[in-house]
């Protein structure tokens, strides 16, 4: 099945396809110990021997599943993380361990489908939201977190006290709030400094006509800035796009992720960080057209571009010090061993976020969700609550591979290679 799937690419030589499938079978039959100890330390590029293969092999099977999808360079990405992602996708696409389609999106704009209803639900339960307030530090003393130092929109600071604290922020923001004493109380907090983030930021193009594109996500394998995109209006059945949004002339939104911000583009010979926002928009539009309009038909027309909107978390583009407030955690080799547990050694502090160690070893909404469930369960356990615990589901494991993985565990403990590993 793996071979048949890869042969649809057509341009990859059969022997290279066979080699790649062998590498996937090596991983699928590897025990957890080999995955955690050996494959976590091997870059994906090396694991699949990309340097010895052709251009299409490298772009589709090495770079295409790393840089374009999770903003991690294939030359650095952990084989454990990338291969587990492929394992989950392949099993899900085969109907294994899945309760619906592999590629899922929201059926309305994010705020309308998810964030606003969630805010309303939490507010009904008594949660208060403080928009524009900033957590500056989690104060620590006598073996516990003693308060959260908060700065209000006017710059005034105060300390909020509670019985328990759950830090539910991205790692690059959360670790700024951990002082020296708190880090010393739990070394896994200090190890979070080794976790790395990179830029993966969105830009939206509003169109006055719908482009004849695939009904789903597009991965622009050859784009200099590693673009992925989806045309959204068709996936929002309860929305009349021109009537509900904008001035009525835009009929669709082409939403694009830019994963590579440090490679020169096509128009200006500059990286995305070196471009102004207007130049970023023109460069991305040019890369989209170069990919989509090269088969004798016009998919994107300049005349159909109504306007664009760049993620406001990106600031000071084109200056010596560009800023991205919403970076994405990436997965170079060794990342697994620096991810913290949801329950910390500090008795009233818990962590939730896509950087926390859970079975979903990837910066995703699903991983963040699983970490929040683990944090809640840890809190309930510590206070001896009789409340029902959150369900935490591990990734599906194919039972027919269990025997091979047990055999590999014995070989690994004896210092031997995986039985299928031909080198």
């Amino acid at each position: 099945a793996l071979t048949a799937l890869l042969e649809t690419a057509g341009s990859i030589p059969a022997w290279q396809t066979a080699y790649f499938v062998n590498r996937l079978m090596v991983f699928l039959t590897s025990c957890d110990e080999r995955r955690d100890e050996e494959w976590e330390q091997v870059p994906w590029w090396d694991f699949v021997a990309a340097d010895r293969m052709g251009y299409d092999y490298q772009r589709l099977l090495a770079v295409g599943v790393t840089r374009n999808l999770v903003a991690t360079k294939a030359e650095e990405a952990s084989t454990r993380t990338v291969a587990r992602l492929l394992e989950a996708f392949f099993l899900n696409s085969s109907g294994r361990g899945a309760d619906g389609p592999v590629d899922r999106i929201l059926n309305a704009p994010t705020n309308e489908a998810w964030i606003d209803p969630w805010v309303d639900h939490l507010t009904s339960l008594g949660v208060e939201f403080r928009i524009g307030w900033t957590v500056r530090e989690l104060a620590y003393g006598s073996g516990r977190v003693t308060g959260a130092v908060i700065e209000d929109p006017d710059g005034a600071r105060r300390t909020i006290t509670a019985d328990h604290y759950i830090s539910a922020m991205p790692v690059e923001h959360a670790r700024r709030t951990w002082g020296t004493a708190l880090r010393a109380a739990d070394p896994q907090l200090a190890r979070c400094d080794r976790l790395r983030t990179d830029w993966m930021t969105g830009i939206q193009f509003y169109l006055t006509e719908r482009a004849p594109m695939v009904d789903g996500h597009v991965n622009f394998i050859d784009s200099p800035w590693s673009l992925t995109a989806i045309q959204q209006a068709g996936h929002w059945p309860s929305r009349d796009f021109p009537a509900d949004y904008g001035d009525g002339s835009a009929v669709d939104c082409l939403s694009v992720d830019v994963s590579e911000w440090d490679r020169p583009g096509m128009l200006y010979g500059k990286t995305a960080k070196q471009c102004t926002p207007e130049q970023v928009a023109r460069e991305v539009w040019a890369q989209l057209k170069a990919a989509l309009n090269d088969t004798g038909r016009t998919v994107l027309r300049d005349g159909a571009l109504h306007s664009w909107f760049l993620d406001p978390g990106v600031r000071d583009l084109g200056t010596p010090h560009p800023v991205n407030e919403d970076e994405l955690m990436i997965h170079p080799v060794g990342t697994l061993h620096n991810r913290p547990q949801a329950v910390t050694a500090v008795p009233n502090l818990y962590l939730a976020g896509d950087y926390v160690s859970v079975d979903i070893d990837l910066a995703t909404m699903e991983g963040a969700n699983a970490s929040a469930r683990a944090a809640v369960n840890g809190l309930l356990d510590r206070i001896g609550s009789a409340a029902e615990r959150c369900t935490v589901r591990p990734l599906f494991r194919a039972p027919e591979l269990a025997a091979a993985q047990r055999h590999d565990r014995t070989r690994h403990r004896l210092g031997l290679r995986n039985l299928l590993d031909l080198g």
Side-chain angles (χ1 to χ4, degrees), residues 133-137 148-152 156-160:
W133 295 48
T134 304
V135 180
R136 292 300 181 189
E137 184 182 5
V149 180
I150 308 295
E151 185 176 290
D152 68 22
R157 294 197 177 191
R158 66 193 71 185
T159 299
I160 306 296

Side-chain angles (χ1 to χ4, degrees), residues 62 114 123 150 152 205 208 229 232-233 266 302 325 333 362 402 420:
W114 177 22
T123 301
I150 308 295
D152 68 22
F205 296 97
T208 57
Q232 294 182 309
M266 299 168 49
D302 290 337
E325 295 288 353
V333 294
L362 188 69
L420 301 179

Side-chain angles (χ1 to χ4, degrees), residues 3-77:
T3 301
L5 178 67
L6 293 175
E7 284 178 346
T8 63
S11 58
I12 301 177
W15 72 271
Q16 294 183 17
T17 296
Y19 182 80
F20 185 81
V21 170
N22 169 260
R23 301 311 289 162
L24 288 184
M25 293 307 300
V26 168
F27 185 84
L28 290 172
T29 57
S30 289
C31 63
D32 287 343
E33 291 87 344
R34 191 184 298 278
R35 294 182 179 195
D36 294 352
E37 298 167 14
E38 185 174 349
W39 302 140
E40 173 63 18
Q41 303 299 334
V42 176
W44 177 246
W45 183 271
D46 295 345
F47 181 76
V48 298
D51 60 335
R52 305 206 309 269
M53 303 299 177
Y55 176 80
D56 288 329
Y57 180 102
Q58 293 175 351
R59 295 299 295 165
L60 289 169
L61 304 180
V63 176
V65 297
T66 55
R67 193 65 182 169
N68 292 55
L69 297 184
V70 295
T72 299
K73 295 180 175 65
E75 296 85 350
E76 301 176 356

Side-chain angles (χ1 to χ4, degrees), residues 84 87 106 150 197 213 216 234 302 316 359 386 416:
R84 289 190 87 216
E87 178 182 28
L106 298 173
I150 308 295
T197 59
M213 293 172 55
D302 290 337
D316 302 327
D359 198 45
L416 302 175

Side-chain angles (χ1 to χ4, degrees), residues 61-326:
L61 304 180
V63 176
V65 297
T66 55
R67 193 65 182 169
N68 292 55
L69 297 184
V70 295
T72 299
K73 295 180 175 65
E75 296 85 350
E76 301 176 356
S78 155
T79 289
R80 180 187 185 275
T81 296
V82 176
R84 289 190 87 216
L85 170 70
L86 292 177
E87 178 182 28
F89 265 87
F90 179 71
L91 290 173
N92 281 186
S93 65
S94 305
R96 313 293 304 280
D99 58 2
V102 177
D103 186 12
R104 308 188 200 189
I105 59 174
L106 298 173
N107 60 359
T110 305
N111 268 58
E112 297 177 27
W114 177 22
I115 297 177
D116 292 344
W118 187 234
V119 169
D120 292 342
H121 173 66
L122 293 178
T123 301
S124 73
L125 297 177
V127 174
E128 296 182 21
F129 288 90
R130 294 283 189 262
I131 305 300
W133 295 48
T134 304
V135 180
R136 292 300 181 189
E137 184 182 5
L138 294 181
Y140 177 80
S142 302
R144 302 173 63 86
V145 174
T146 58
V149 180
I150 308 295
E151 185 176 290
D152 68 22
D154 296 324
R157 294 197 177 191
R158 66 193 71 185
T159 299
I160 306 296
T161 59
D163 295 325
H164 298 271
Y165 301 81
I166 297 182
S167 177
M169 292 181 277
V171 65
E172 70 271 21
H173 297 288
R175 59 193 176 196
R176 297 173 189 166
T177 69
W178 304 334
T180 303
L182 182 59
R183 290 164 180 260
D186 190 344
Q188 69 173 347
L189 299 179
R191 288 199 300 272
C192 286
D193 287 337
R194 303 173 192 169
L195 297 177
R196 290 172 51 191
T197 59
D198 203 348
W199 289 38
M200 187 179 193
T201 303
I203 184 170
Q204 296 168 312
F205 296 97
Y206 299 99
L207 309 177
T208 57
E209 63 184 30
R210 291 189 176 171
M213 293 172 55
V214 66
D215 185 25
H217 282 95
V218 183
N219 187 347
F220 297 87
I221 293 293
D222 293 308
S223 56
W225 288 0
S226 298
L227 307 179
T228 54
I230 187 170
Q231 201 166 205
Q232 294 182 309
H235 301 288
W236 299 342
S238 63
R239 302 294 187 269
D240 183 335
F241 195 96
D244 294 342
Y245 308 109
D247 59 9
S249 59
V251 301
D252 213 332
C253 172
L254 180 60
S255 183
V256 184
D257 270 341
V258 182
S259 298
E260 174 57 77
W261 286 76
D262 296 302
R263 184 186 303 158
M266 299 168 49
L267 291 183
Y268 304 103
K270 297 193 293 186
T271 70
K273 292 177 182 177
Q274 294 170 333
C275 291
T276 65
E278 292 76 16
Q279 289 174 332
V280 168
R282 286 195 287 269
E283 177 72 51
V284 172
W285 184 253
Q287 292 185 27
L288 293 174
K289 289 195 302 178
L292 294 172
N293 294 350
D294 67 347
T295 57
R297 63 178 184 142
T298 300
V299 176
L300 294 180
R301 292 192 313 108
D302 290 337
L305 178 58
H306 176 281
S307 53
W308 54 270
F309 181 80
L310 180 64
D311 188 329
V314 174
R315 297 185 284 105
D316 302 327
L317 288 177
T319 73
H321 303 289
V323 175
N324 185 352
E325 295 288 353
D326 305 300

